[in-house]
Each structure stands twice: as structure tokens, then as C-alpha cells.
Amino acid sequence: MAERLTPFEIMERLVAFPTVSRDSNLPLVDWVEAYLAGHGIESHRHYDETGEKAAIFAHVGPQVAGGVVLSGHTDVVPVDGQPWSSDPYTVVERDGKYYGRGCCDMKGFDALAIWALVEAHHSGVARPLQLALSYDEEVGCLGAPPMIAAMQGVMPRADLAIIGEPSMMQAVTGHKGGIGYEVHVVGYEVHSSILHLGVNAIMSAAPLIDWANARNAENRAKEPTDLAAMFEPPWTTLHVGQISGGTAHNITAKDCRFGMDFRVVPGEDAEGWGRLFEARVAEAVAEMQAVRPEARIDLRPRFRVPGLQPEEAGAAESLVRQITGDNGRHVVSYGTEAGQFQEAGYSAVICGPGDIAQAHQPDEYITVAQFEAGHDFMRALLGRLQG
């Protein structure tokens, strides 16, 4: 029988794997699989299309429907260029805080969930507990939908999912949705003195970005719905965070690349926003091709994250509130995998230890007190599953 590690010891091992989204997470998955197997728990994998990454999920308790999913992601953001005070892949305790990449977002919760699964297996539960750890959350929540689909029929279907993103152990019941595109504007190069004979990709991209500015101004000026008013800001936002292109100052740019991202308040249709953007792009293409038929704009959908809608008498929210005693209304403007679980028919809520303000930062940390609060939550959850 394998040693039963503490949540802290599990977090130490998880953080030691540098599972940046651009790299494989398989060494971490191997470890989790072996650790669970050492305790007699069967787990299942679902690989991405490259075979270099995998989600892992497992079930303990009676083989019946109606259980609870503890959901986390295994990937972390890079540390490149960040001024860390210690090795980011070694958990270090200082001044009441655990430092390390992923301690907050979200290997701290992953460790607590793995601990809870093993404890549930050994102590026995009347209601099933499941673990679901995804990949590629940090690059657009790409790994959860195929993982959720793979879980169906392999394990009994659970009723609710607790997504352990850092929320200071508060019950977060809503978040914005999102949709994003990679945009490649392909122009036609000529000398800038005869620019009317060419198509400048950068200057053709500029009206599309200005279109986003205009939509932001319109959205901000609208009276928000009651649901939208819960968010900060209380409107759908359009954002371009990176742009590149051009060869020289005296050549019309052949290429321009940028990303267009939408963060959509619940109650509005993310796909509808995508269609509006695609229609504006089609207008731009027609203008470009009137000068040079070779010009074009390539759009590649980069991510789609459904919003998390507050549920009427939601089972997940109710369970978390019973354990934490939190009765406040909490929503966030960033996206998570909670909306994807909800879209798949699960009752979903966000509740995890740590402060999202520490996520992705140099010297990322979770306080010892928050980690212990997460541990207390898991103990209370196990008590409810045993009853």
C-alpha cells in the first residue's frame, strides 16, 4: 500500500512538475495515476490530439450516479522573465505563505482534491466522489470539454462539480464567457510611394481594431441588465493585446497578425459576438480585394468559453454554502471551466483556496491559512459524503 501523503506533500510533488501549457503534462499525470493506483484507485486518461498532454479522472465510492466532481487543471503559466525569489518549481514556506508556480492557480486545490479522493476511498463514502484534472486551461480552457465528454460512460455521471479556482473559499456562482480569434491579415506589398496599388495589412487591420474600440464604447454606455450589473465591468469587452506585422517603413505591410478576444457578460451570446466580428472582417476583405484580389484575412477560432450562469437553487452552490457558511453573491470577470461543466449539464460552482490576484505573478503564493481552509473544506465535504 502506498504512503498516504498529506495535502502539502502532494502539492510539493505537483508543483515540482513544470507543466507550462506549451509543454507536456504527462509526467505529472503519470505520478497522479501511480499514486492513486497505489491506493487501489483506478484512473482514466484522455489524451489531446498530439498525445503529449492528457486529462486524468477517477471515481471512488459506490458505482452510482449523483456524485460530486472536484475539478482542477494541471497546466500553469510560464515563469519566463519573472523575478522569482526562489525556485518556482520548489514549494517554499515564508512568512505564512507557500511560494511556488501553481500553488495558488491551482495545484494547491489539485493536491487537496487528490487527498480527498484517497481519503474517501479508504474511509468509505455513501455518495461518490470524482476527480477531474484537465490540461490547457491557461490557453483558453481547451482541455475540459473533451475531458468531460470522455468521462461520460466511463464513470457514473455526477450531479455537480466544484471547480477549485482560487476564490478565497467563497462560492462564486457566475463568470463571463469568452470567445477569441487569431487574425492574420494578408496584404500586397508595394513601395509606399505607390501605396494605392498595394494593400497594407497593418492599415487594413486598424479599422477592425477601431471597430472593437467603438463596440466597447457602445457597450459601456448601455444600461446593464441586473445580471450584467453583478460584474466588473458590467459590459461585454473586446480586447486586442498583441499585434505584429510589416517589413519596413517604406513597404506596404504584407502581413499583420493580432488576437481579438471577447469577454461576454452572461445573458449575451458569445457566438453572436463572433458572428458580428466575422461580418466586419468580411467587409474588410471585400475592400482589400477591390484593390488586390490576392489579399485576404484568415480567421482561426482560438478559444470558446461559455459563461457560468447563476443557478436557481443550484445543488453545487447549495453544498458549498452549507460547508463554508458563505452567503454572499460572488461573480468574476475571468473565464473558467465551470461554465463548461454547466454547459454539459452539471450544476457548477467555483470554490477554491487562494486569491486570484496572486495567480500568474512572480513569487506566486497561497497563504498557509487559505490552504488549511481548503483542507477543512475537504474534511467537511467527506463528512457529508459519508452520511
Side-chain angles (χ1 to χ4, degrees):
M1 180 66 67
E3 179 186 5
R4 287 163 72 170
L5 301 177
T6 67
F8 176 77
E9 290 169 333
I10 298 172
M11 181 171 67
E12 283 187 303
R13 284 158 173 78
L14 297 182
V15 169
F17 295 103
T19 51
V20 176
S21 304
R22 65 190 174 213
D23 301 321
S24 174
N25 73 337
L26 293 184
L28 181 150
V29 171
D30 290 342
W31 184 86
V32 173
E33 181 180 69
Y35 181 67
L36 295 181
H39 291 280
I41 301 172
E42 180 185 14
S43 60
H44 309 271
R45 297 188 184 199
H46 180 77
Y47 288 91
D48 75 345
E49 59 188 14
T50 71
E52 293 298 315
K53 299 176 183 178
I56 183 167
F57 48 91
H59 172 107
V60 301
Q63 291 294 313
V64 297
V68 175
V69 180
L70 297 176
S71 164
H73 61 81
T74 61
D75 58 321
V76 296
V77 298
V79 299
D80 305 4
Q82 292 187 333
W84 282 74
S85 302
S86 55
D87 179 0
Y89 299 114
T90 300
V91 178
V92 175
E93 182 180 356
R94 296 195 304 270
D95 303 321
K97 301 169 183 175
Y98 295 133
Y99 290 88
R101 175 54 90 220
C103 280
C104 178
D105 184 21
M106 60 181 300
K107 290 179 176 178
F109 176 83
D110 294 347
L112 291 164
I114 292 168
W115 175 86
L117 194 79
V118 171
E119 291 300 309
H121 176 69
H122 286 299
S123 63
V125 285
R127 186 179 182 186
L129 183 65
Q130 296 180 351
L131 174 74
L133 302 180
S134 70
Y135 57 87
D136 279 356
E137 189 274 347
E138 297 289 5
V139 290
C141 295
L142 303 180
M147 175 187 70
I148 295 168
M151 290 164 60
Q152 309 311 309
V154 176
M155 305 188 303
R157 184 177 174 85
D159 280 345
L160 62 92
I162 300 171
I163 291 77
E165 292 283 356
S167 72
M168 298 295 288
M169 298 309 301
Q170 295 176 330
V172 172
T173 59
H175 68 64
K176 289 187 177 184
I179 188 169
Y181 294 88
E182 288 183 1
V183 187
H184 181 195
V185 183
V186 182
Y188 187 85
E189 290 179 312
V190 297
H191 194 280
S192 61
S193 64
I194 52 170
L195 61 83
H196 64 294
L197 300 179
V199 174
N200 187 314
I202 293 175
M203 298 182 74
S204 295
L208 299 177
I209 297 172
D210 194 51
W211 176 85
N213 286 328
R215 301 293 79 72
N216 280 332
E218 290 175 358
N219 291 346
R220 183 169 188 165
K222 292 178 184 175
E223 184 70 23
T225 65
D226 290 344
L227 183 55
M230 298 171 63
F231 292 83
E232 177 59 36
W235 62 82
T236 292
T237 58
L238 289 68
H239 181 249
V240 175
Q242 288 184 308
I243 186 169
S244 64
T247 303
H249 291 295
N250 60 352
I251 303 173
T252 58
K254 173 69 178 299
D255 298 285
C256 181
R257 292 178 170 84
F258 64 95
M260 180 71 75
D261 293 351
F262 300 76
R263 292 188 182 272
V264 182
V265 292
E268 293 187 9
D269 179 15
E271 302 292 346
W273 275 105
R275 289 190 293 271
L276 284 175
F277 180 56
E278 291 170 11
R280 181 62 186 88
V281 167
E283 293 175 4
V285 170
E287 295 167 3
M288 295 163 61
Q289 292 182 343
V291 180
R292 294 298 311 193
E294 305 96 322
R296 69 183 193 275
I297 299 178
D298 298 329
L299 284 182
R300 188 177 78 83
R302 188 160 54 87
F303 67 87
R304 176 191 171 277
V305 181
L308 175 64
Q309 304 274 354
E311 300 170 2
E312 188 70 31
E317 174 187 353
S318 177
L319 176 61
V320 166
R321 291 193 187 283
Q322 289 169 22
I323 294 173
T324 64
D326 172 32
N327 291 315
R329 297 181 71 192
H330 310 289
V331 299
V332 293
S333 291
Y334 55 84
T336 78
E337 296 172 337
Q340 294 168 325
F341 273 94
Q342 188 179 67
E343 189 175 60
Y346 294 80
S347 176
V349 68
I350 300 165
C351 184
D355 186 342
I356 193 64
Q358 303 306 323
H360 305 182
Q361 298 297 307
D363 284 347
E364 176 184 348
Y365 68 82
I366 186 171
T367 65
V368 175
Q370 272 292 296
F371 193 66
E372 287 305 317
H375 196 182
D376 289 341
F377 177 92
M378 292 301 176
R379 292 190 187 99
L381 174 63
L382 292 176
R384 290 180 177 274
L385 297 179
Q386 290 165 347

